[in-house]
Amino acid sequence: MQPEPSGGARAGTATGPQSGPMSIGAVLRALRAEFPELTVAGIRFLEAEGLVEPARSPSGGRRFREADVERLGRVLRLQRDHCLSLRAIKERLGAPGEAAPPPVVPVAAPRRAESEAPVPGSGEAPAASAVRTGRRELLGSAGVREEELAEWEEYGLLGPAGDGTYRLVDVAVARLVARLGRHGVEARHLRPVKAAADRQLALAEQRVAPLRRHPDQRTRSGAQSTADELADLSVRLYGAFMASGAHPDRTRCD
């Protein structure tokens, strides 16, 4: 196993003593020496993925602390030197400092039909309970109004389960849609993005469908892991497309 990079900033990356928070442009200049391919779009993508959580000025601008810059450096090194997925990086580094998560309500997973029940001794564990949150908690956590959430649901950007609860990932979606809204991006603009994500997930499911029907139990058990990896790769590819589109003169295929 390769040694994990240290948490400190390397030469050419360290921000040095700072008199105050840094803008996203200053962060880019601080990290460019070690990561010449880094772009503003790439930093924003890592923020959207929850790998860094900069503070916000009263006008809404990002304000990165020295710890945020050091964390970004670690994330980028783990991607470059260890080829880790964003999910693995999150698990290794933990979540950035943020407010406590909203109250959640454990909701029992739907009961399987008898034909779907795990075979005794097969080693397949029962489905875990889903963790969900209520509508009021989602509104408070995302800082949005009821009419905004209703519009997003009308456009299919997110929605509740049959019992009216939401997945925690819906909270993340609501936060991101709200942030985009502050820049004039409306729900109708985001419907094609959601449709593209749905198509990509359908493609991933199409690829793993034969694995789910495979006679070997271990192969069937690995189907979901493969589906998760395909989804993670799709997210990374989308971020790479965004970064290359923002700076086409610096596009490079590794």
Side-chain angles (χ1 to χ4, degrees):
M1 178 181 295
Q2 301 182 51
E4 178 184 346
S6 64
R10 293 182 179 179
T13 302
T15 60
Q18 295 294 323
S19 58
M22 304 170 66
S23 68
I24 193 168
V27 172
L28 181 63
R29 290 191 293 272
L31 294 172
R32 267 281 178 81
E34 184 178 354
F35 307 100
E37 297 295 323
L38 183 63
T39 64
V40 168
I43 296 175
R44 289 172 176 162
F45 171 68
L46 293 175
E47 179 191 356
E49 288 301 301
L51 287 160
V52 65
E53 186 81 17
R56 292 277 176 169
S57 68
S59 62
R62 295 170 176 80
R63 290 295 177 261
F64 291 81
R65 298 150 297 189
E66 186 173 358
D68 296 324
V69 182
E70 292 177 354
R71 182 182 174 89
L72 278 171
R74 294 193 69 191
V75 169
L76 293 167
R77 288 184 205 106
L78 288 169
Q79 280 189 309
R80 180 194 64 194
D81 302 338
H82 298 263
C83 300
L84 294 182
S85 68
L86 295 182
R87 178 176 300 177
I89 294 173
K90 284 182 183 179
E91 293 174 353
R92 179 169 296 196
L93 298 184
E98 58 183 4
V104 297
V105 180
V107 179
R111 294 184 61 184
R112 301 188 187 198
E114 290 186 6
S115 59
E116 298 176 334
V119 178
S122 65
E124 183 181 355
S129 295
V131 180
R132 295 182 176 271
T133 187
R135 189 178 188 87
R136 181 177 299 178
E137 288 77 20
L138 183 148
L139 291 170
S141 178
V144 299
R145 301 187 305 274
E146 169 65 38
E147 54 267 30
E148 291 177 308
L149 179 57
E151 181 185 17
W152 300 344
E153 291 176 332
E154 181 180 353
Y155 278 96
L157 303 183
L158 71 161
D163 61 358
T165 60
Y166 295 81
R167 300 168 300 169
L168 294 189
V169 70
D170 291 321
V171 178
V173 169
R175 288 174 177 169
L176 293 171
V177 173
R179 287 185 178 183
L180 286 166
R182 290 197 287 268
H183 296 281
V185 180
E186 301 176 11
R188 60 189 177 89
H189 301 140
L190 298 174
R191 186 162 56 177
V193 179
K194 177 62 165 62
D198 290 341
R199 288 195 298 270
Q200 197 64 22
L201 288 172
L203 175 61
E205 184 58 35
Q206 179 183 353
R207 303 308 303 170
V208 302
L211 301 180
R212 298 190 190 281
R213 298 191 298 267
H214 199 278
D216 181 63
Q217 191 273 328
R218 288 180 300 179
T219 300
R220 294 196 305 272
S221 299
Q224 187 57 49
S225 176
T226 301
D228 291 342
E229 181 181 6
L230 288 171
D232 182 63
L233 290 171
S234 297
V235 170
R236 294 174 62 185
L237 179 61
Y238 180 82
F241 282 152
M242 291 288 289
S244 64
H247 298 278
D249 56 321
R250 285 195 291 271
T251 300
R252 183 186 71 181
C253 295
D254 294 325

